[in-house]
Amino acid sequence: MSWHHGPLALFDTETSGIDPHRDRIVTAAIVDVVPGTTVRTSTWLIDPGIEIPDAAARIHGITTEAARAGGVDPADAIYEIAQHLVRLSRAGVPIVGHNVAYDVTLLWAETVRHRPDMSDPIAALAPIIDTLVLDKWADTYRKGSRKLLDVARHYGLAVDQLAAHGAEYDALLAGRVAWHLGARYPALDIPLPAL
């Protein structure tokens, strides 16, 4: 069975900036997908404990005030997110996202900051499937942006501009891109160990 027909853990974060070692997670989503049966979504709004820059808030729509009012403690949220991903990873479910190396690196940095006991398990997450990497491999010489929304549009997937840059929406969109890549390119329609 090809990897894209099995269970997937779609993962995305929205953050306070672009430096995975310095910035913080503001929202996160993990969507557990078992094709043909279930979709289970877990989301977190986190008070990152720092000011969320206006530039970041303009992208994902979460201000410092909103995070402080409705967000949970970062140490608790980071532990829950890490535990959830580690459990799925240990069960052999691939962690999927677009430029997911950024999200996993940021999560690792957050575990070092808030939950050092979880940093080694996060560093060992596997398998990880990055749709940015797959897209670059499958269509190496294509010109233009490789951002998630642009990649989705390139493959003919509908994009909801208003929902975009929300962790849950972006996780689901990355999952749709992953499935599309696996279905479109015969060289990617392979079992997970081969991928």
Side-chain angles (χ1 to χ4, degrees), residues 48 91 93:
V93 177

Side-chain angles (χ1 to χ4, degrees), residues 81-153:
I81 296 164
Q83 281 286 87
H84 195 130
L85 287 175
V86 167
R87 183 177 67 252
L88 290 165
S89 176
R90 288 180 177 163
V93 177
I95 311 301
V96 177
H98 194 80
N99 194 21
V100 74
Y102 169 82
D103 301 281
V104 172
T105 301
L106 181 63
L107 178 60
W108 175 83
E110 289 276 51
T111 62
V112 169
R113 185 177 298 114
H114 296 290
R115 291 302 304 237
D117 57 312
M118 293 302 299
S119 61
D120 286 345
I122 291 302
L125 285 177
I128 295 177
I129 298 174
D130 193 326
T131 56
L132 175 63
V133 173
L134 291 183
D135 176 56
K136 285 182 176 181
W137 180 87
D139 199 356
T140 305
Y141 301 106
R142 183 179 78 241
K143 303 281 189 223
S145 170
R146 299 284 180 152
K147 292 180 180 179
L148 175 60
L149 301 182
D150 297 320
V151 169
R153 285 186 193 106

Side-chain angles (χ1 to χ4, degrees), residues 2-3 13-14 51 54 58 63 72 92 97 128 138 141 145-146 166 168 173 183:
S2 183
W3 62 272
T13 63
E14 296 299 324
E51 294 288 320
D54 290 341
R58 279 193 297 276
T63 63
V72 297
I128 295 177
Y141 301 106
S145 170
R146 299 284 180 152
E168 181 179 358
L173 188 57

